[in-house]
Amino acid sequence: MGRHSCCYKQKLRKGLWSPEEDEKLLNHITNHGHGCWSSVPKLAGLQRCGKSCRLRWINYLRPDLKRGAFSPEEENLIVELHAVLGNRWSQIAARLPGRTDNEIKNLWNSSIKKKLKQRGIDPNTHKPISEVESFSDKDKPTSNNKRSSSDHHKSPTSSSATNQDFFLGERPSDFSDYFGFQKLNFNSNLGLSVTTDSSLCSMIPPQFSPGNMVGSVFQTPASVKPSISLPPENSSSTVSGGDHVKQAAPNWEFQTNNTSNFFENGGFSWTIPNSSSSSSTLVKPNHNFEEIKWSEYLNTPFFNGSTVQSQSSQPIYIKSETEYLANVSNMSDPWSQSQNENLGTAETSDVFSKDLQRMAVSFGQSL
DNA sequence: AACAGCACCAACCGCCCCGGA
DNA sequence: CTCCGGGGCGGTTGGTGCTGT
């Protein structure tokens, strides 16, 4: 295992690639495509195994690779995605064009992990370290855990995840719990559901919008998008509410009052100043919400039928554009109200199709 | 200047899944 | 059904350069 059989057949080079080797591989793939990787070394005149060629191509020679340092936006997105996907680097990489899984993995291990720790966040659970440490070390997963056939494609929030699983290192079973979005969705008076540019928040399963089985994704204007940043380093930071939030509801401010608050209960906590008083509402995640079987959600044929049965036995309604617009019209937040005036226009149509696209991208499916 | 420790990252290793024979 | 090879993934390693003493 590991080194393929081809590697034993002849003395093959290992280690760093020389510029000449790179050129040979690049020329070969440019002219002929890679085809069967095991035949590439021979055809390209390389003393390497096919696996090594594949890796070199994917991680270094591919023309669509983005070079250079990761932007803060990319780092934030990686944190967000890691919170949902765990160490599924290839899936995370799939959402960052031009970046490879190896690159992201290295960034995570060398930089992001450290930053999170410095800010009191456990990089495995995305929870405050103090909370994680309340469980003994022996309960924590070991680093040499290998994938088993049963978890190979298992979501971090597998259906079998229990609270204990979570503290043993599994992702929490309640997705919205993780980000604190649930409360935002729940508070229908605010008419506020949250999505982000990164597609991540729109991955919140509609059926988990508490008290409302109409999908939050479709209820929610795609442009209400607080950007989620790494936890603030100082004691008081504001999390940007995104352009449309600012535009439509300038009085809404999402704040973290201190670092521990930021990931309180494993999600983001938001402070929404009350317009009629000097007080503010602290919006926190709710751990008591029903478990989400994330893996099954990911496998949901979201766009294949009008109704599918969710794990929670709640039907997921695929909204038609008409229904979508009707939902928008019923929303009470300023953004939606402004959208009401544009019902049926190209703009709202566009929002709808973007929502769908966002969902499709999120789940690696296409419309 | 020399050394140690650290950080980064390219590449390897070990394992798994899948499809074809 | 089993076996085998290819492709893919995540974890780990080792080389290199940087920084601090």
Side-chain angles (χ1 to χ4, degrees):
Chain A
M1 283 296 190
R3 292 188 77 180
H4 275 202
S5 54
C6 63
C7 303
Y8 298 105
K9 288 176 186 168
Q10 47 187 307
K11 212 168 176 63
L12 298 175
R13 270 179 56 83
K14 286 176 65 179
L16 294 180
W17 282 64
S18 68
E20 292 75 25
E21 287 179 307
D22 279 345
E23 196 184 345
K24 282 182 182 176
L25 182 60
L26 185 60
N27 283 340
H28 173 75
I29 294 180
T30 303
N31 294 327
H32 306 99
H34 62 73
C36 172
W37 280 111
S38 58
S39 63
V40 164
K42 192 180 176 184
L43 296 171
L46 291 162
Q47 299 289 97
R48 296 269 180 177
C49 76
K51 219 172 173 180
S52 180
C53 294
R54 176 184 161 270
L55 209 64
R56 185 62 177 172
W57 173 258
I58 288 172
N59 289 335
Y60 191 78
L61 296 174
R62 243 169 56 197
D64 59 328
L65 286 180
K66 193 191 282 184
R67 305 279 180 193
F70 281 76
S71 68
E73 289 74 24
E74 284 177 310
E75 286 193 21
N76 293 336
L77 180 52
I78 290 168
V79 173
E80 292 176 35
L81 290 169
H82 186 273
V84 179
L85 298 168
N87 293 0
R88 285 169 176 71
W89 306 116
S90 60
Q91 289 182 34
I92 293 173
R95 290 164 175 80
L96 280 102
R99 301 298 189 181
T100 69
D101 53 354
N102 209 33
E103 208 176 1
I104 292 167
K105 183 169 56 184
N106 282 334
L107 180 76
W108 180 267
N109 288 326
S110 67
S111 171
I112 295 179
K113 225 169 161 180
K114 212 171 302 164
K115 284 182 189 173
L116 288 174
K117 279 179 183 168
Q118 280 170 1
R119 294 164 200 183
I121 307 299
D122 181 82
N124 295 318
T125 62
H126 293 252
K127 294 214 166 213
I129 284 170
S130 56
E131 192 174 325
V132 175
E133 282 176 349
S134 67
F135 291 80
S136 64
D137 284 344
K138 66 179 171 62
D139 289 338
K140 292 177 183 172
T142 56
S143 61
N144 60 356
N145 282 346
K146 294 293 181 186
R147 283 175 304 155
S148 65
S149 59
S150 61
D151 73 3
H152 181 54
H153 286 129
K154 191 171 75 176
S155 141
T157 54
S158 86
S159 60
S160 62
T162 62
N163 282 340
Q164 190 184 17
D165 287 333
F166 166 58
F167 287 114
L168 287 171
E170 294 279 347
R171 300 272 75 73
S173 55
D174 184 341
F175 177 83
S176 55
D177 165 311
Y178 225 146
F179 290 95
F181 294 149
Q182 176 194 324
K183 278 283 188 176
L184 292 177
N185 287 335
F186 182 68
N187 193 337
S188 56
N189 290 333
L190 289 173
L192 179 64
S193 274
V194 179
T195 61
T196 72
D197 262 352
S198 68
S199 308
L200 193 72
C201 300
S202 53
M203 291 164 75
I204 297 171
Q207 72 272 34
F208 300 112
S209 177
N212 191 342
M213 283 306 127
V214 175
S216 63
V217 168
F218 299 107
Q219 273 191 309
T220 308
S223 313
V224 179
K225 47 177 184 184
S227 64
I228 296 169
S229 305
L230 286 169
E233 300 193 49
N234 55 21
S235 61
S236 176
S237 297
T238 297
V239 179
S240 159
D243 291 348
H244 280 91
V245 169
K246 288 174 184 166
Q247 179 188 325
N251 293 327
W252 298 358
E253 189 173 34
F254 303 95
Q255 286 185 335
T256 57
N257 296 324
N258 55 57
T259 302
S260 65
N261 208 21
F262 195 85
F263 273 114
E264 189 168 343
N265 290 333
F268 290 79
S269 299
W270 308 85
T271 301
I272 304 179
N274 296 337
S275 57
S276 57
S277 69
S278 57
S279 65
S280 61
T281 303
L282 180 63
V283 180
K284 293 197 296 184
N286 180 350
H287 273 276
N288 298 324
F289 196 56
E290 78 179 288
E291 284 198 353
I292 290 174
K293 301 199 172 183
W294 182 243
S295 58
E296 296 183 39
Y297 183 66
L298 284 174
N299 292 330
T300 298
F302 230 81
F303 303 102
N304 292 343
S306 60
T307 312
V308 292
Q309 198 69 21
S310 80
Q311 176 54 40
S312 60
S313 297
Q314 298 288 353
I316 301 170
Y317 293 101
I318 303 302
K319 312 301 290 184
S320 67
E321 182 168 351
T322 307
E323 288 174 284
Y324 172 76
L325 295 176
N327 270 316
V328 170
S329 73
N330 288 330
M331 294 180 68
S332 55
D333 70 282
W335 191 96
S336 297
Q337 284 173 1
S338 75
Q339 293 304 293
N340 294 345
E341 298 163 13
N342 299 320
L343 281 182
T345 66
E347 189 182 341
T348 43
S349 249
D350 190 46
V351 168
F352 176 71
S353 77
K354 278 178 181 166
D355 266 346
L356 285 177
Q357 284 169 21
R358 198 188 313 276
M359 292 292 288
V361 169
S362 294
F363 296 107
Q365 299 176 10
S366 57
L367 286 169

